[in-house]
Amino acid sequence: MTDPEPKRLRSGHWLLIGIVALLVVGIFTVTRRDRDPDDKADGVTTAPTASAPAGPVCAPKVAETGQSIRQGLVNFGIVVTSDCPQAAVASQLDVVAIGTDGKELTGDQAKARIFLSAVLPGQRLGAGGKLLVDINASIKNIRVSVSNTQNVPADAFSSWPTVHVADIKHSGPDSSGHTQVTGTVVTDPSTAKPCDPTYYLLLRNGAGTLIYGAAATGSEPSFDERLPSGIDWAKAEISVAMGTPPLGTVNTQQLTCQ
C-alpha cells in the first residue's frame, strides 16, 4: 500500500507557496506606493524646466545678414531680433552659403550651426562665423534658418546684467595680414559677471552693409582676423550673447548660470 503522507506534504507545500506569493505581492505594492514619483523625498529638489508653451513657439527673426569671401573662406555676420513676449531660448541658426546661381554651395564645411542660448524680448543680437567652400566658388549671400526655439518667462533672466562692448580698437594688419580687434565689456551693475559670454564681431562698409562676422570666447572680446577691405570702423560693433546652450529640455538654472 502507498503511504499517503507524501501527498499531504505536497499539498501543504502548495499552500505555503501561495501564502509567500501573496506576501511578496503585498510588499511590492507597498514599495511602489512609497516610491510614487509624485512624492518628493526630504531634502530633494527638482531643477525647473521650461513648460510647454500654450500657443505657437515665438522665435527670433533674422533681421540682417552679410558676408565676405576670400579663397573659399566665407566670413558671415547675422543680426537677429525678437519681438516675442517671452524669452526665446535654445534657438538653432543653420547657415548655408548660396552661390550666384541661387544654389547652395557644397563642401565639408559649407554649412554652419550657431546656438543662441537666449534672446530676450526686444533684444537685438549679433552672431557670426565661418564657412569653407570651393576655392573658386562665387557667393551671392548666405541663408539662415531658425529652429528648435523654446519659450520661457523672461523673468528667468532677471539676474542677468545689461552688457555691451565699448571702446572697440583695432591694430594692424601685421606682416601676416591679420588685424587685432579688442573691446571693453561694460556691465550694469558694474560688478556683475556676464553669464558664459560669446562675443561676435560685426563689421560694415561705408554704406552700412554688413560684410564680416567672427566669434570669440573668453573673459574679454579679442579677435585676430584677416579682414576684407572697405571697413568703416565707426560702424564696428561687438555683440555679447550670454547663456549656456542647453541639451534637450531647457533647465533655466543651468541656462542662466545659476
Side-chain angles (χ1 to χ4, degrees), residues 31 45 60 89 136 151 202 213 241 255-256:
T31 303
T45 58
V89 303
N136 296 316
N151 295 136
L202 299 179
L255 176 68
T256 58

Side-chain angles (χ1 to χ4, degrees), residues 74 95-99 103-105 110 131 133 139 141-143:
V74 181
V95 185
V96 62
I98 305 299
K103 297 180 180 179
E104 293 185 3
L105 297 179
L131 301 171
V133 298
I139 184 172
N141 54 27
I142 61 168
R143 182 180 296 157

Side-chain angles (χ1 to χ4, degrees), residues 185-209:
V185 177
V186 180
T187 63
D188 183 16
S190 59
T191 56
K193 181 180 179 181
C195 169
D196 198 11
T198 300
Y199 303 102
Y200 292 105
L201 174 66
L202 299 179
L203 299 176
R204 303 174 185 277
N205 60 18
T209 302

Side-chain angles (χ1 to χ4, degrees), residues 66-173:
Q67 70 288 319
S68 61
I69 184 170
R70 181 184 59 83
Q71 297 180 333
L73 180 63
V74 181
N75 283 88
F76 63 85
I78 303 169
V79 175
V80 300
T81 59
S82 177
D83 56 6
C84 301
Q86 293 187 306
V89 303
S91 295
Q92 176 179 303
L93 306 184
D94 287 302
V95 185
V96 62
I98 305 299
T100 52
D101 59 359
K103 297 180 180 179
E104 293 185 3
L105 297 179
T106 59
D108 291 342
Q109 300 177 54
K111 297 181 179 181
R113 180 168 291 171
I114 296 174
F115 294 96
L116 294 181
S117 299
V119 185
L120 302 183
Q123 187 176 17
R124 174 185 177 277
L125 190 62
K130 294 178 172 64
L131 301 171
L132 192 60
V133 298
D134 185 270
I135 193 170
N136 296 316
S138 297
I139 184 172
K140 178 181 180 181
N141 54 27
I142 61 168
R143 182 180 296 157
V144 184
S145 58
V146 183
S147 62
N148 290 353
T149 300
Q150 300 178 53
N151 295 136
V152 301
D155 58 12
F157 302 88
S158 59
S159 63
W160 275 12
T162 300
V163 182
H164 72 278
V165 176
D167 195 23
I168 297 175
K169 297 178 180 179
H170 68 282
S171 60

Side-chain angles (χ1 to χ4, degrees), residues 31-41 44 46:
T31 303
R32 289 295 303 272
R33 287 174 180 170
D34 288 345
R35 294 181 181 177
D36 191 318
D38 291 333
D39 293 335
K40 302 294 187 295
V44 176
T46 303

